[in-house]
Amino acid sequence: MRILGISAFYHDSAAALIEDGRIVAAAQEERFTRRKHDPGFPANAVRYCLAEGACAIDDIDHVVFYDKPFLKFERLLETYLATVPGGFRSFRAAMPVWVKEKLFQKKGLRRKLGEIAGSKSWDGSLLFSEHHVAHAASAFFASPFQNAAVLTMDGVGEWCTTSLGHGNGKRLDLLKEIHFPHSLGLLYSAFTYYTGFKVNSGEYKIMGLAPYGRPLYAQAILDHLIDLKADGSFWLDQRYFDYCTGLTMTSSAFHELFGGEPRKPESPLTQREMDLAASIQAVTEEVVLRLATFARRETGERQLCLAGGVALNCVANGRVLKEGIFDDIWIQPAAGDAGGAVGAALAVWHQYLDKDRAPNGCDLMEGAYLGPTYSQEEIEQRLTAAGAVYGVLSDSELISTTVSALMEEKAVGWMQGRMEFGPRALGNRSILGDPRSPRMQKTLNLKVKYRESFRPFAPSVRREDVAEWFGLSTDSPYMLLVADVREEKRVRPNLDEEALFGIERLNVPRSDIPAVTHVDYSARVQTVHRETNRRYWELLTTFKERTGCPVLVNTSFNVRGEPIVCSPEDAYRCFMGTEIERLVIGNTVLRKEDQPAALMRDYKEEFELD
């Protein structure tokens, strides 16, 4: 039994193939089109999934879409009618698209699937899942838990913005919901917009900026913007927002409350933006903690599953774990809309088809390594065609050579095995560095990633060593939990350094691994497991043997505004357009100084800024 899940037409389009309850393949469309957050029909991702499953579209038993378009249209119409005449501009902009395309999405999907099949229309079984059902299913059915509370939090689906569910075996029931326009995701996005970052893209920048600031505006948010109840339910005062009726996120009342107009994108950051980021992060954490506490009390479960875009807030996730509200937490690595493709397909398998879950104690995501891979022969053919100069090493030589480069403080592009599904690079499409270097964080941000200097990098650490270096004793394979660097690994600033504020604190070393230690001593930890990524685990093991440190800097293999690389050609282009010094693809090693000068390129301007 094969089920194809599809998410599309908003942002982060993706496809996923489920075969007899097992996730065979999953990928985001952006990785193929090279357009970040590509919202279009995921034709390339569908073709990849079919190829990975060795099947054709006509071999698929059910295709399921992650949204119900008519419910979303109902929400839009009711919102516009409730805000007449204020919402007319937004209504006028949205309606032509809905009338032309989205109201007839079923027909459009059949046509797109037909194109893949080589016909005018695909006439197989086409199903639709509610948005938050897809999110919840992606969290619970993919998790290792047979019973769990399930929280989903995002901007908005059809009507729902936050849901509490209860998973028990093959049953998943949504018990409580909060509806649009009251949305934790949209509240966070309002501050993303106000501080000058791009909505649906820059939210993680707010999270990274928050430790540089002080939550001076948190009480103002709680007093004016959000009425937060003890159980985590909330109501947003729409006088301060413009996402219902206008074409921006915030209103003039919002600007008056916080003392000025929104920051212009790419203009210098000030302490005010840092304090605003700290404030909305603090409020978000409080909401999530109250929701989690209520979920524990309402369901009686000791395990929690999380999905939806807000579940990518790894600082809030770390707070929930640290507070001990649940014994264990599992977060869907593709928690945003892309993961809806997986969730919709799993919901059909377990709830529509009533199939049991396998009690294997492991999650179904297989380390999130669900995307394309390339054989050594393919890698060499593609690099040769690109004009690259490379050498081929044995497994042991490859690991040793890469560790040597890292110890020399070189930035290493590392492409191995299957591409990750979701927004995080987890050791297969990564740029790696030595975390002990006090220069590595700044070098990678400014010379390799071409992004804002304040943004932190994540540590990859062998699972068996995590508790020695971080305040974490559980698995964190998907880089979705933040924990503190252990006290004995920290370096205390001197009095002058301690007195610094804001971005001035950036270059103060704070631990034995300064490149991955944020200004508040926190780190977004990825635990690396021998069972799911043996080559990356072996790299960490050899690095530990030679340095005493089982940690590496791990950031996604791309530059700002670019999707994570997918193919050898993508990796080579990024290598040649940045100051990455070594590129390792499969067993192939490339040195920057050996490459033809004619192939060097300026990569900074090739992608729209995120």
Side-chain angles (χ1 to χ4, degrees):
M1 175 71 70
R2 296 186 181 98
I3 304 165
L4 181 69
I6 292 175
S7 65
F9 307 132
Y10 184 45
H11 57 89
D12 294 318
S13 294
L17 178 63
I18 309 296
E19 186 170 332
D20 295 335
R22 183 177 70 88
I23 305 172
V24 172
Q28 291 122 287
E29 185 68 4
E30 66 166 19
R31 307 295 171 84
F32 304 95
T33 63
R34 312 309 299 155
R35 178 189 174 196
K36 192 150 190 172
H37 304 302
D38 192 331
F41 179 79
N44 295 286
V46 168
R47 289 189 177 96
Y48 155 68
C49 288
L50 295 175
E52 190 67 35
C55 62
I57 192 70
D58 290 332
D59 298 321
I60 299 296
D61 296 281
H62 302 281
V63 174
V64 55
F65 190 70
Y66 82 131
D67 226 346
K68 291 198 171 181
F70 277 101
L71 283 179
K72 184 169 282 188
F73 184 65
E74 174 189 80
R75 187 249 301 170
L76 288 170
L77 272 184
E78 288 195 23
T79 300
Y80 292 139
L81 289 172
T83 56
V84 167
F88 180 72
R89 284 181 63 212
S90 181
F91 177 84
R92 186 174 60 186
M95 280 307 101
V97 178
W98 273 94
V99 171
K100 184 179 179 182
E101 298 175 10
K102 296 190 177 183
L103 278 179
F104 304 100
Q105 212 158 76
K106 188 172 185 178
K107 184 178 179 180
L109 285 167
R110 288 196 179 279
R111 187 179 68 254
K112 293 289 188 182
L113 292 165
E115 289 173 5
I116 291 172
S119 62
K120 287 186 177 180
S121 181
W122 183 73
D123 61 359
S125 170
L126 179 59
L127 306 171
F128 292 82
S129 165
E130 284 194 33
H131 188 90
H132 271 253
V133 169
H135 273 322
S138 78
F140 177 61
F141 291 133
S143 80
F145 307 144
Q146 288 295 311
N147 300 278
V150 184
L151 272 178
T152 69
M153 303 163 287
D154 68 359
V156 60
E158 295 90 0
W159 278 103
C160 184
T161 67
T162 305
S163 73
L164 165 62
H166 187 197
N168 183 1
K170 62 183 176 182
R171 285 191 57 82
L172 174 59
D173 299 304
L174 297 191
L175 309 176
K176 305 279 186 181
E177 292 184 348
I178 297 173
H179 284 183
F180 183 86
H182 310 295
S183 165
L184 183 59
L186 290 175
L187 174 64
Y188 206 91
S189 290
F191 280 86
T192 302
Y193 167 80
Y194 187 64
T195 51
F197 301 116
K198 187 179 288 188
V199 172
N200 292 326
S201 176
E203 281 74 14
Y204 55 91
K205 298 183 187 182
I206 296 293
M207 187 175 64
L209 190 62
Y212 293 99
R214 300 152 295 177
L216 302 180
Y217 302 97
Q219 197 57 51
I221 296 170
L222 291 167
D223 288 344
H224 297 278
L225 270 60
I226 181 170
D227 180 10
L228 177 61
K229 303 301 184 185
D231 63 359
S233 61
F234 54 86
W235 177 89
L236 300 185
D237 189 336
Q238 291 303 303
R239 289 177 300 171
Y240 294 95
F241 304 97
D242 201 29
Y243 54 75
C244 282
T245 62
L247 301 175
T248 62
M249 295 297 297
T250 55
S251 71
S252 57
F254 189 106
H255 307 160
E256 184 178 346
L257 177 63
F258 294 108
E261 293 296 308
R263 168 181 166 259
K264 287 183 170 55
E266 307 304 314
S267 63
L269 284 164
T270 69
Q271 187 63 49
R272 178 168 166 270
E273 283 81 42
M274 298 172 201
D275 293 340
L276 285 163
S279 301
I280 188 56
Q281 180 63 33
V283 170
T284 298
E285 290 173 30
E286 183 61 29
V287 176
V288 172
L289 286 171
R290 292 191 192 187
L291 285 168
T293 302
F294 178 73
R296 172 66 191 271
R297 186 170 68 247
E298 189 77 2
T299 65
E301 296 293 351
R302 304 180 68 85
Q303 298 166 129
L304 175 66
C305 298
L306 294 171
V310 177
L312 294 172
N313 192 308
C314 48
V315 179
N317 299 341
R319 282 286 308 279
V320 173
L321 184 66
K322 190 175 182 179
E323 294 290 332
I325 301 167
F326 288 89
D327 294 348
D328 205 357
I329 299 173
W330 191 86
I331 307 141
Q332 165 56 241
D337 277 9
V342 168
L346 288 173
V348 168
W349 176 251
H350 292 296
Q351 297 194 287
Y352 182 76
L353 298 174
D354 200 33
K355 300 291 186 180
D356 290 329
R357 297 175 70 204
N360 58 8
C362 299
D363 77 52
L364 295 185
M365 295 300 292
E366 305 204 10
Y369 307 116
L370 296 167
T373 188
Y374 299 86
S375 69
Q376 183 62 29
E377 182 181 6
E378 283 181 292
I379 291 166
E380 293 177 33
Q381 289 174 348
R382 287 167 176 255
L383 288 176
T384 298
V389 176
Y390 59 86
V392 179
L393 302 180
S394 68
D395 290 354
S396 60
E397 290 172 331
L398 181 88
I399 296 294
S400 177
T401 298
T402 304
V403 168
S404 294
L406 290 165
M407 291 172 64
E408 293 166 7
E409 298 190 29
K410 288 180 168 57
V412 177
W414 178 260
M415 176 179 162
Q416 303 290 330
R418 297 185 72 177
M419 182 179 67
E420 300 90 339
F421 182 54
R424 308 291 183 220
L426 301 170
N428 278 9
R429 301 291 188 278
S430 295
I431 300 171
L432 307 179
D434 187 341
R436 303 169 303 156
S437 167
R439 294 173 292 277
M440 188 57 63
Q441 193 260 3
K442 187 174 183 179
T443 297
L444 287 178
N445 266 332
L446 299 181
K447 294 188 176 183
V448 174
K449 301 284 282 188
Y450 302 128
R451 68 185 198 180
E452 300 92 343
S453 62
F454 69 83
R455 287 164 62 178
F457 289 105
S460 292
V461 58
R462 297 193 327 162
R463 172 63 180 90
E464 49 268 55
D465 296 312
V466 66
E468 181 184 346
W469 288 80
F470 304 98
L472 187 68
S473 57
T474 189
D475 295 349
S476 181
Y478 302 123
M479 209 184 279
L480 286 169
L481 290 171
V482 161
D484 291 336
V485 174
R486 289 188 66 88
E487 191 77 33
E488 58 270 27
K489 305 294 183 184
R490 298 182 188 180
V491 175
R492 289 292 173 191
N494 60 40
L495 290 177
D496 289 339
E497 292 170 335
E498 199 73 72
L500 296 174
F501 276 103
I503 210 72
E504 295 174 328
R505 301 161 64 196
L506 173 64
N507 295 318
V508 178
R510 296 184 175 272
S511 78
D512 296 339
I513 43 174
V516 294
T517 305
H518 211 5
V519 293
D520 57 354
Y521 298 102
S522 68
R524 177 163 48 94
V525 179
Q526 179 204 0
T527 54
V528 179
H529 303 246
R530 189 172 188 234
E531 299 77 15
T532 54
N533 197 333
R534 183 164 182 167
R535 177 162 283 191
Y536 194 34
W537 182 90
E538 288 175 348
L539 184 70
L540 285 159
T541 298
T542 302
F543 189 77
K544 179 186 179 183
E545 289 169 354
R546 291 173 60 179
T547 67
C549 177
V551 180
L552 286 174
V553 179
N554 175 12
T555 187
S556 56
F557 197 160
N558 62 333
V559 298
R560 183 184 175 193
E562 178 191 21
I564 294 172
V565 302
C566 176
S567 69
E569 293 91 338
D570 298 336
Y572 187 65
R573 281 193 298 270
C574 190
F575 172 61
M576 295 300 288
T578 65
E579 295 185 43
I580 296 173
E581 293 147 296
R582 294 288 183 271
L583 175 59
V584 183
I585 309 179
N587 281 61
T588 306
V589 177
L590 298 87
R591 305 192 314 165
K592 179 63 69 63
E593 58 268 30
D594 296 338
Q595 305 309 308
L599 297 180
M600 300 291 181
R601 56 199 294 169
D602 182 2
Y603 215 54
K604 291 181 188 178
E605 310 301 327
E606 292 208 13
F607 299 94
E608 183 182 347
L609 294 180
D610 60 3

